[in-house]
Amino acid sequence: MNTPRRLALLSAPVEEGASITGCSAGPDALLSEGLAQALMGTGNNIAEQRRLAPCPLQPFALAGRTRNAAIVRAWAQSVEQAVHAALIAGRFPVILGGDHSVSFGSVPGAARFARETGKPLFVLWIDAHGDFHTPDTSHTGNMHGMPAAFLYGLPGFDGLLPPDRATIAPIHLMLYGVRDLDL
């Protein structure tokens, strides 16, 4: 039998990484449909449940084509801090996000914890799209199509998170289910 986990349900209703509004409603919709109760029904404990907000907005832009880089950066900073804090507290973070740009913060938060504890981190990216664009290769500038490239370490994301941010080894990023990877 599995040991119950102490979960941190972290809602991050970011939608500025996409070009269509609406995905910010995802976290509330999941919670109103009973996600917390379903997770507890599997033997897990909800040790923390909160709605995140972006860090204070600062002027920021990336070279190339990106839309809403400043607000995506503010969300990335907030999510990175929350994920790291949850892991430090012995909680397993479950991020209820909006668009895929939430990964600019969630994975680096886990990577920082892994670096501090000397544990490896592996990321399984399950998606039909690779989200492997950079600001230079994106046709739309939508940052929700870029986080895997950021995690992989491709150039073009300077300043999104601090330069000493924790990273993952490119070999530890596995893309699964990708039907479209246009670089």
Side-chain angles (χ1 to χ4, degrees):
M1 177 151 194
N2 290 338
T3 304
R5 292 182 187 229
R6 295 178 60 228
L7 304 179
L9 290 182
L10 305 172
S11 296
V14 57
E15 68 181 6
E16 291 84 0
S19 60
I20 299 172
T21 61
C23 58
S24 63
D28 288 342
L30 290 168
L31 291 170
S32 70
E33 290 299 318
L35 178 64
Q37 293 81 2
L39 290 170
M40 289 187 297
T42 62
N44 294 296
N45 300 311
I46 308 295
E48 174 185 8
Q49 182 175 338
R50 65 185 171 113
R51 182 182 183 96
L52 305 178
C55 285
L57 202 56
Q58 302 290 324
F60 179 72
L62 292 169
R65 287 177 297 282
T66 56
R67 297 174 64 248
N68 303 322
I71 187 67
V72 169
R73 178 182 187 233
W75 273 112
Q77 293 169 338
S78 173
V79 172
E80 191 272 346
Q81 292 166 11
V83 167
H84 181 258
L87 289 165
I88 290 288
R91 299 175 180 147
F92 185 85
V94 177
I95 295 55
L96 309 177
D99 69 60
H100 296 174
S101 68
V102 74
S103 302
F104 283 113
S106 60
V107 175
R112 180 160 53 126
F113 178 77
R115 179 176 67 189
E116 292 168 355
T117 58
K119 297 178 181 177
L121 176 67
F122 298 87
V123 175
L124 177 60
W125 193 269
I126 303 172
D127 197 330
H129 304 102
D131 294 339
F132 227 80
H133 278 288
T134 70
D136 287 331
T137 65
S138 175
H139 303 292
T140 65
N142 294 330
M143 292 188 69
H144 76 122
M146 301 180 191
F150 172 73
L151 299 175
Y152 193 76
L154 293 181
F157 299 98
D158 293 341
L160 192 62
L161 288 176
D164 66 341
R165 73 176 177 91
T167 58
I168 60 170
I171 196 162
H172 291 175
L173 175 62
M174 171 67 173
L175 303 177
Y176 183 81
V178 174
R179 65 171 158 73
D180 184 19
L181 187 61
D182 55 334
L183 298 175

